[in-house]
Amino acid sequence: MLTLKIWIVQALFIFFTTESVGELLDPCGYIKPESPIVQLGSNFTAVCVLKEKCMDYFHVNANYIFWKTNHVTIPKEQYTIINKTASSVTFTDISLLNIQLTCNIRTFGQIDQNVYGIRIISGLPPEKPTNLSCIVNEGKKMMCQWDPGRETYLETNFTLKSEWATEKFADCKTKRDTPTSCTVDYSPVYFVNIEVWVEAENALGKVTSDHINFDPVDKVKPSPPHNLSVSNSEELSSILKLTWINSSIQGFIGLKYNIQYRTRDASTWSQIPPEDTASTRYSFTVQDLKPFTEYVFRIRCMKEDGKGFWSDWSEEASGITYEDNIASF
Amino acid sequence: MSRREGSLEDPQADSSISPLPHLEAKIHQTHSLARLLTKYAEQLLQEYVQHQGDPFGLPGFSPPRLPVAGLSAPAPGHAGLPAAERLQLDAGALSALPPLLDVVRRHQAELNPRALRLLRRLEDAARQARALGAAVEAVLAALGAETRGPRPEPAVAAAAAATDAGVFPAKVLGLRVCGLYREWVSRTEGDLGQLVPGGPA
């Protein structure tokens, strides 16, 4: 019963108060700016302007205004009375990221009333993105990534831009969960130089990375060779012959390889000298192996001139060298 | 001849032309592009034929190989022309092809709206033809030869209007354009191949 009575009194107070000043939600004044975004470390001034109706009804003027941040009253030394209706408050060297600022008046000597409230968001403009690099996984679209620079504490959008000399491509806008990389929407065209850069923008500024210009064929990560198979030789017990199928990219670029091998129970790999596998091929005979021993092999490839990225390793394949004919006698 | 030795010698070229290493790289890159696009053009033509239905693709089907909007196939005497002139003709054809490919794509979007890969290939072909044409013009400029400007649009409008007469003419136009695209990128590959060090004379 008591709770109901208290509720009725509060409701009547609100009704009569709002009836006196007009519409139900008509505030007593307003703050400018309304939704500021300010740079950390900078100064900021807000102005509260009282409405004439409110001033008349409550018998107040700008001298009756007091400011609060996050419910803590700000010292009067930070206020400036601009005129009869307006008071400002100044903050120097803002360091908080999110401030609730309210303009309030003391009415009838004892009742504090909220006039208006805003939220001050602070942060930093974006830094220039750096270390922009791109990769083209064979058969897939180009993906570029970069270092975004410092934390801005604000929503910052990164846009990857790209163009040929003859036309511009659509902007690649990063997704929220991957703000420092973007996969373009178009298929790569090898042998046409493309210029790529990143724009970073938030409410406090916009900045562009250095441009990079390259042929996508020099950024390829090929698919690994597949169908790796191993065959032995009855005549030579120290060799095994590897054969494999290169991916389709070998139709227009030369490839080089790393071939690694180990015995079945070994933990470390040995590698064929790279100079022996420095151009496109489909087989390789590994020599100087131990007779009647199982070896495991794997192979990877990249563009012959060393530009781009190594492919993943192929599936492993194994074979057993033939028995040594001399020893079997 | 190694890539780092001497100059690119074309017996039919102007003797005052002296390519720089950068030019060699550009020629090599453009030749590689032409080779790649020749492969793509073959795939485009095959895919185009597959989507048009009979009689397209039937062994005996051979519509007239008429010029399209003033663009003909490479002339029989093309290979005998000086290198710069061959490349100028290549560049001219490559600049005429993109709008024609766009017309074909628009027709195919109506005739075969579900042939998404064909539509994408046609769009890519127009873009790639522009890129190859620009690259050839860059080679010409570096060689000190004149470049050829783009063809006037009204020829393309005429091509589009002519096919409003029906589905079959539109399909024939597309077949012709895809065929011309293949012929000209292949021709460009051959012409650039003669400039690549170690290439055929």
Side-chain angles (χ1 to χ4, degrees):
Chain A
M1 192 62 182
L2 178 62
T3 306
L4 177 62
K5 283 182 182 172
I6 292 172
W7 183 88
I8 291 172
V9 167
Q10 287 176 332
L12 284 172
F13 177 77
I14 291 170
F15 176 75
F16 286 124
T17 303
T18 54
E19 279 297 296
S20 300
V21 299
E23 299 163 26
L24 186 63
L25 294 176
D26 189 19
C28 242
Y30 55 86
I31 296 175
K32 289 268 190 209
E34 173 81 53
S35 306
I37 298 177
V38 301
Q39 187 161 336
L40 281 167
S42 69
N43 299 341
F44 172 72
T45 297
V47 179
C48 182
V49 181
L50 298 175
K51 294 183 181 174
E52 294 279 352
K53 268 196 301 189
C54 215
M55 291 169 61
D56 293 340
Y57 183 79
F58 290 111
H59 306 292
V60 295
N61 57 46
N63 285 294
Y64 290 74
I65 290 174
F66 64 99
W67 295 88
K68 287 184 177 180
T69 52
N70 300 338
H71 311 297
V72 175
T73 302
I74 299 169
K76 282 194 178 300
E77 291 75 35
Q78 288 175 244
Y79 304 178
T80 300
I81 305 298
I82 298 171
N83 57 37
K84 193 175 69 155
T85 66
S87 163
S88 71
V89 66
T90 296
F91 303 92
T92 55
D93 190 17
I94 287 199
S95 58
L96 293 177
L97 296 180
N98 201 320
I99 302 169
Q100 185 194 54
L101 175 67
T102 56
C103 168
N104 310 273
I105 49 175
R106 175 152 287 186
T107 61
F108 308 117
Q110 59 188 338
I111 302 174
D112 291 343
Q113 293 217 49
N114 176 253
V115 172
Y116 207 76
I118 64 168
R119 192 163 289 279
I120 306 170
I121 306 290
S122 52
L124 295 166
E127 276 184 327
K128 177 173 159 176
T130 55
N131 293 332
L132 174 61
S133 65
C134 300
I135 183 170
V136 180
N137 286 287
E138 184 183 346
K140 303 227 169 29
K141 293 174 180 168
M142 182 173 73
M143 187 275 287
C144 299
Q145 58 188 32
W146 55 89
D147 291 334
R150 66 184 167 198
E151 174 64 61
T152 61
Y153 308 104
L154 300 171
E155 185 176 337
T156 301
N157 295 318
F158 294 89
T159 304
L160 181 75
K161 292 182 173 287
S162 54
E163 64 183 31
W164 284 347
T166 49
E167 59 196 274
K168 297 184 188 326
F169 293 100
D171 289 347
C172 186
K173 294 191 188 305
T174 58
K175 297 182 174 41
R176 266 186 189 277
D177 52 349
T178 53
T180 59
S181 69
C182 208
T183 300
V184 300
D185 196 31
Y186 50 87
S187 298
V189 178
Y190 301 126
F191 311 115
V192 184
N193 268 51
I194 190 167
E195 187 148 321
V196 175
W197 66 100
V198 178
E199 276 186 7
E201 182 174 17
N202 66 19
L204 293 178
K206 182 168 158 178
V207 70
T208 300
S209 73
D210 290 338
H211 292 212
I212 57 173
N213 188 305
F214 57 91
D215 183 340
V217 83
D218 292 332
K219 302 291 182 187
V220 169
K221 177 180 176 179
S223 300
H226 57 281
N227 285 29
L228 178 64
S229 69
V230 185
S231 57
N232 57 19
S233 164
E234 195 173 338
E235 291 80 27
L236 286 172
S237 59
S238 63
I239 68 168
L240 287 170
K241 183 176 178 183
L242 312 180
T243 59
W244 60 87
I245 298 174
N246 293 311
S247 69
S248 58
I249 203 167
Q250 62 94 41
F252 44 91
I253 60 170
L255 298 172
K256 66 175 181 178
Y257 309 85
N258 284 161
I259 298 176
Q260 292 187 343
Y261 61 97
R262 60 179 172 82
T263 56
R264 172 61 70 182
D265 52 2
S267 57
T268 57
W269 294 91
S270 300
Q271 182 159 287
I272 301 294
E275 55 268 27
D276 292 347
T277 55
S279 58
T280 307
R281 57 195 304 148
Y282 312 92
S283 66
F284 188 86
T285 299
V286 183
Q287 303 177 65
D288 299 327
L289 300 174
K290 288 185 261 186
F292 201 54
T293 304
E294 185 179 14
Y295 287 88
V296 182
F297 297 88
R298 64 182 186 178
I299 182 171
R300 66 179 182 175
C301 65
M302 76 175 299
K303 193 164 174 267
E304 192 174 31
D305 62 6
K307 293 179 182 174
F309 303 89
W310 283 105
S311 72
D312 292 335
W313 288 104
S314 68
E315 297 269 338
E316 294 176 1
S318 60
I320 305 176
T321 48
Y322 223 78
E323 285 186 75
D324 191 339
N325 289 332
I326 295 172
S328 67
F329 281 118
Chain B
M1 178 191 295
S2 106
R3 292 183 64 189
R4 296 188 182 279
E5 294 174 352
S7 61
L8 301 165
E9 292 187 0
D10 180 338
Q12 294 171 323
D14 187 335
S15 60
S16 65
I17 295 173
S18 302
L20 301 170
H22 176 73
L23 172 59
E24 286 184 32
K26 184 63 182 172
I27 290 172
H28 191 270
Q29 183 190 42
T30 309
H31 175 247
S32 297
L33 175 60
R35 185 155 49 107
L36 180 67
L37 297 191
T38 300
K39 178 184 154 195
Y40 289 168
E42 285 284 353
Q43 293 170 351
L44 169 62
L45 186 58
Q46 284 174 20
E47 183 134 14
Y48 182 87
V49 168
Q50 280 168 13
H51 283 284
Q52 307 315 308
D54 290 342
F56 295 86
L58 293 180
F61 181 66
S62 179
R65 287 164 55 87
L66 298 170
V68 174
L71 177 64
S72 302
H78 180 104
L81 297 171
E85 197 170 331
R86 280 183 274 130
L87 290 178
Q88 284 166 348
L89 291 170
D90 295 337
L94 290 167
S95 72
L97 280 162
L100 292 169
L101 288 162
D102 285 340
V103 167
V104 174
R105 184 178 55 77
R106 284 198 295 273
H107 288 156
Q108 289 298 308
E110 291 180 17
L111 296 171
N112 293 297
R114 293 185 186 174
L116 298 179
R117 192 167 65 181
L118 172 62
L119 296 175
R120 196 187 67 244
R121 281 194 196 269
L122 286 163
E123 186 176 355
D124 288 347
R127 180 188 301 134
Q128 289 156 7
R130 273 194 293 275
L132 180 58
V136 170
E137 294 196 0
V139 169
L140 279 166
L143 288 171
E146 285 183 16
T147 60
R148 184 181 293 263
R151 288 175 170 263
E153 279 296 319
V156 174
T163 57
D164 287 342
V167 169
F168 187 75
K171 290 185 175 185
V172 170
L173 172 71
L175 181 67
R176 189 76 185 106
V177 169
C178 291
L180 284 168
Y181 175 56
R182 182 189 61 174
E183 290 184 76
W184 278 105
V185 292
S186 175
R187 185 64 262 166
T188 303
E189 179 194 350
D191 293 338
L192 288 165
Q194 295 187 26
L195 296 182
V196 172

